[in-house]
Amino acid sequence: MSKLLEVAKLAGVSKATVSRVINHSDTVSPGARDKVLEAMRALNFHMQELRRSPDGSAVLGLVMPFGKEIQGNSFGIDIMAGAEEKAFEKEYMILIGNSVGGRESVLTSNMVNRGVEGLILLSGGAGKGAFRDAEAQRDPVRPDRPKAGRDGKPSGAR
């Protein structure tokens, strides 16, 4: 179910009304606006999260340590540059989060909640919990597992 539909159902209004509230239309009654805003608060949704196109966000998340941590490590820069290059080829943008200080879980959760279509997590052992959190929120594509096709079988399986 789309986030817009979830908000509409909880508020008892149409998806169009939710859309009007998000876009600050003056054609929404104050009562309906209050119901939508209350539903959004209850579901922990933010207006920016609901403003995406129905085709997806075309944004990938990249969570990795950088700053002083990355200066002596070209591997991280190579990962970032390679990810950006491939994303650009497919007309995607990359949202980058600095995981220094154990922020992986918060960053991955925020990125998933904002609708990233994929998540690249480059981290040490502390990142495992963040990946499990992200995995619980959406079906991930992992390099250590075959990607499932529409029928649920691994891609290329017959």
Side-chain angles (χ1 to χ4, degrees), residues 26-102:
D26 56 1
T27 62
V28 180
S29 73
R33 182 178 311 280
D34 290 345
K35 286 180 185 178
V36 169
L37 294 174
E38 181 55 39
M40 289 172 67
R41 275 190 291 278
L43 295 169
N44 198 27
F45 291 153
H46 304 280
M47 286 192 194
Q48 288 300 95
E49 292 177 54
L50 298 172
R51 279 193 177 151
R52 286 185 292 281
S53 84
D55 297 333
S57 66
V59 175
L60 303 173
L62 172 61
V63 177
M64 61 181 283
F66 57 90
K68 290 180 183 175
E69 301 286 325
I70 203 173
Q71 287 174 353
N73 180 2
S74 70
F75 178 71
I77 294 170
D78 293 342
I79 294 287
M80 193 181 320
E84 193 284 329
E85 182 179 327
K86 290 299 180 186
F88 184 79
E89 287 174 11
K90 302 291 184 182
E91 298 183 8
Y92 276 73
M93 298 297 297
I94 293 189
L95 177 63
I96 299 174
N98 184 357
S99 64
V100 170

